[in-house]
Amino acid sequence: TTNGVRNKTDKEGLSGGLLAVFVDVTDVRRLESLRRDFVANVSHELRTPVTAVLSAAETMELALGRDPEGAKRFLAIIERNAARLQRLIEDLLDLSRIESRELRLRSERFAFEPFANHLVGMFRERADKKRVAIKLDVAKQVEAEVDRRALEQVVTNLVDNAVKYCPEGSTVTIHAEATTGRERGIRIRVADDGHGIEEKHLGRLFERFYRVDAGRSREMGGTGLGLSIVKHIVEAMGGNIDVTSTVGKGTTFEIKLPDASTRIHERGSTRDLS
Ligand code: ADP
């Protein structure tokens, strides 16, 4: 009987244990595989520009003194790739900051039009090169009351994608309007008339490393992190983001952000005083 009891206990223990282990392993495996994918992606993205910097630096050393024009070209390669590395590192740091909830937002009220104008200026060279027009459709009086840097990062990312994935001769439009009522704040749309995205991808677009066409994204210097960072930031700001797209017609990202003061009111006890 002692044996019998022990066996029974063992059996139950075993099956319970097996079940628990099974669940754990599935979770652990999934996380482990996500982590592996992440590391593999990051390594790949880092390796390409680092290799370019090193070989350009080496060749430049040989060209110095003998071929100043050639040396300048290699310097440009170094600069371009270092900038790409910086972007990737910034993306990774952002992601880790957001994941550890270290994103501190400091809201201020500012006019959207000059903000967007400045932002468009940063894209001018790249957009001109690709003959992509960036248009602003924003009334002078539209204001935002959010963290300026966070908004800059969000809109920059969306415009960057539009310029990146649109064919030559496309138009990107940044539209903004005030929203009233309970959702007092700002609604911003970044729209392009490029290739569009098939519907089956839309639901997964904001996932980390999700790319419609991985080869093309990497070739364009993309990390697959941009939209997941955008979504996280927008949500940290109390807003939301949506995408609509029609193949052959283009893609529109729409962000709705509440005014920071509205958010404080909604959370605080003074909410119903007016
Ligand atoms: P990536 O670094 O690859 O650009 P993102 O997270 O920013 O990563 O975007 C995910 C994918 O969504 C891109 O790889 C691209 O395929 C697609 N995408 C994003 N914006 C657009 C757009 N405006 N038009 C077409 N495809 C887009």
Side-chain angles (χ1 to χ4, degrees), residues 161-162 164-165 192 197 205 210-212 217 222-224 226-227 251:
N161 274 347
K164 215 157 64 174
Y165 296 111
D192 66 62
I197 302 165
L205 218 56
Y210 190 82
R211 293 139 142 158
V212 174
S217 158
T223 60
L227 287 179
T251 306

Side-chain angles (χ1 to χ4, degrees), residues 201-218:
H201 298 293
L202 292 181
R204 300 194 58 194
L205 218 56
F206 296 99
E207 284 176 20
R208 273 207 243 164
F209 290 125
Y210 190 82
R211 293 139 142 158
V212 174
D213 178 344
R216 186 166 155 69
S217 158
R218 285 204 191 92

